[in-house]
Amino acid sequence: MPFIRACKALATCLLALAAGTPAFAQGETSSFPQRPVKLIVPFAPGGSTDIVARLVADKMQASLGQAVVVDNRAGGGGAIGSEAVARAEPDGYTIGIGTVSTLAVNPILLKASRVDPLKDFAPITALASVPSVFMVHPDFPGGRSFRQVLAEVRAKPDAYNMGSSGPGSISHLIIEAMNADLKIKLRHVPYRGMAPAMTAVLAGDTQVATDQYPSSAAYIKSGKLIPFAVGAHRRLEALPEVPTLKELGHADLNELAITWFGIVAPARTPAAVQKKLLDAATAALRDPALLARLKELGMEPAADTPEAFRAQIASALERNRRIVQAAHISAE
C-alpha cells in the first residue's frame, strides 16, 4: 500500500509539471499564504516606486493575514529586480513591482535584459500613476503658453536644450517623441539621473524640462520653473490653468509622459493565488489613509483588472518600440 500511495503521489506531481502548474498548487492555493510574501522593488529605497510599494504592502497584510516584506533589488536600471521576480518560484510568495521602465522600456533597449514582460510575468494590477509636467526656465524668451513655447522652439531649430536622465530613459523617449509629434528640434542632453538634469535646467544650462510633478512642484511654486503643459489623465488640482497634452491634441505623448507602476507575479503563478493577491491589492487601494497619502504625493490610484494591466503593458511596449526605432535610440 505505501508503494501504491507513493506511485499515486509521483503521478500527481508529473501531471502537474506536464500542465505547467507547480505541484503544490493543487493543495496549497486555498490556504495561501501560509508565510510572509516578498515584494521585490527593482529600485533603491526612497523613490516614488518604493514609497508606493511600502504603502500598499502594509495594507495588503490585513487582507492576506501574513506580512508583505519589501525587498529592494536595485541595479541595472531595474533589470536585476525585474529578473529576480521573473525567475522566482511561481507560488505567490515572491511578487514584484513593475514600472513603465522595467516593463516597457528595458526589454526594448537593454541588451542585458532577459525578461519578456508579456511571457515571464502574470500582471496582477496597476497600482498608481504619476503625472509629469513640462516646464521652461524663466529666462526662456517669448510667452509661457504651450503654443507660445512651441512657436519659439519651432522658430529656432536646435537652439534649445532639454535634459534627460540618460540615454534610453523614459525622459529620453519623451524628448524624441516631442520632436517627432510636435515637429520641433530640441537638442537632447543626457545626464546621469533626473536630479542632475533638473539642476541643469534650474541653472539655465538647458531651457526645457519634463519631470514627475511631485519632484517639480517646489520649483514651480517658487517660480524657478514655468509649466506649460502636463502629462496627466486630467488637469492637476495644483495647476488648473495648465492643459494636458491630450486636450492639446497629443494623446500619445500625454500617455507616454504618465509614469505608472503595478504588481506582477512570475508567470504560471496559480490563478487562485493571483486572485488573492489582486483582492488584497485592490482592498489596499480603497484604504482612505493610503488614498490620502497618494494624493499628498501627487499620485493617482490605478487599481485595475489583470487583463487591463496586461493591455497597458502591451500598448506601452508597442508605442515605445516605435519611438526607439524611429529615433534610433540606444541605451549605450
Side-chain angles (χ1 to χ4, degrees):
M1 291 298 290
F3 176 75
I4 294 174
R5 285 196 296 270
C7 288
K8 288 181 177 179
L10 177 60
T12 300
C13 290
L14 291 174
L15 285 171
L17 287 171
T21 303
F24 61 80
Q26 303 301 322
E28 291 187 12
T29 54
S30 61
S31 57
F32 173 86
Q34 298 179 351
R35 61 181 189 273
V37 173
K38 182 190 299 180
L39 177 61
I40 293 179
V41 175
F43 302 106
S48 58
T49 306
D50 178 70
I51 292 171
V52 172
R54 293 178 185 276
L55 288 170
V56 172
D58 182 61
K59 299 300 181 183
M60 285 178 69
Q61 294 178 173
S63 298
L64 294 175
Q66 291 284 348
V68 179
V69 182
V70 173
D71 180 3
N72 294 90
R73 302 274 188 95
I80 291 175
S82 187
E83 186 171 346
V85 178
R87 307 296 176 242
E89 188 72 26
D91 55 8
Y93 289 101
T94 299
I95 57 177
I97 296 292
T99 72
V100 63
S101 294
T102 64
L103 296 175
V105 177
N106 289 356
I108 300 170
L109 282 170
L110 294 186
K111 293 180 180 178
S113 177
R114 295 183 292 177
V115 173
D116 183 327
L118 298 178
K119 293 181 179 178
D120 294 333
F121 293 123
I124 302 301
T125 183
L127 289 177
S129 63
V130 187
S132 293
V133 59
F134 292 78
M135 306 158 283
V136 291
H137 187 274
D139 290 341
F140 186 86
R144 297 295 183 264
S145 72
F146 172 79
R147 288 180 175 79
Q148 289 170 329
V149 170
L150 204 59
E152 174 65 22
V153 176
R154 279 178 179 164
K156 299 175 182 177
D158 290 320
Y160 297 109
N161 302 326
M162 186 169 180
S164 79
S165 59
S169 65
I170 195 73
S171 50
H172 182 189
L173 268 64
I174 288 173
I175 295 170
E176 299 297 348
M178 287 177 69
N179 283 337
D181 293 357
L182 306 180
K183 296 178 174 54
I184 58 177
K185 285 188 178 181
L186 287 165
R187 289 188 298 190
H188 171 227
V189 182
Y191 292 90
R192 293 188 174 182
M194 278 312 301
M198 292 302 291
T199 298
V201 72
L202 290 167
D205 297 333
T206 58
Q207 298 77 40
V208 185
T210 186
D211 193 17
Q212 294 180 1
Y213 174 69
S215 307
S216 308
Y219 303 131
I220 293 171
K221 290 175 183 176
S222 64
K224 293 179 179 179
L225 293 175
I226 312 299
F228 63 88
V230 295
H233 298 300
R234 60 191 64 83
R235 291 196 184 198
L236 306 184
E237 287 185 17
L239 301 173
E241 75 287 356
V242 181
T244 68
L245 286 166
K246 183 176 181 179
E247 65 182 284
L248 291 166
H250 304 283
D252 285 347
L253 185 58
N254 187 80
E255 194 65 27
L256 176 64
I258 300 173
T259 299
W260 48 261
F261 30 84
I263 295 177
V264 295
R268 298 192 303 112
T269 298
V273 172
Q274 292 185 45
K275 180 64 165 57
K276 287 194 174 184
L277 293 168
L278 171 63
D279 290 346
T282 302
L285 290 171
R286 288 197 296 261
D287 183 86
L290 187 148
L291 292 174
R293 180 60 176 147
L294 288 180
K295 184 176 181 179
E296 181 183 319
L297 292 168
M299 302 181 189
E300 184 176 334
D304 214 333
T305 65
E307 294 76 18
F309 190 26
R310 176 178 289 278
Q312 182 177 19
I313 296 167
S315 175
L317 276 167
E318 181 181 354
R319 179 199 61 225
N320 293 349
R321 189 172 284 109
R322 287 198 308 268
I323 295 170
V324 166
Q325 291 174 348
H328 306 289
I329 295 174
S330 171
E332 300 300 320

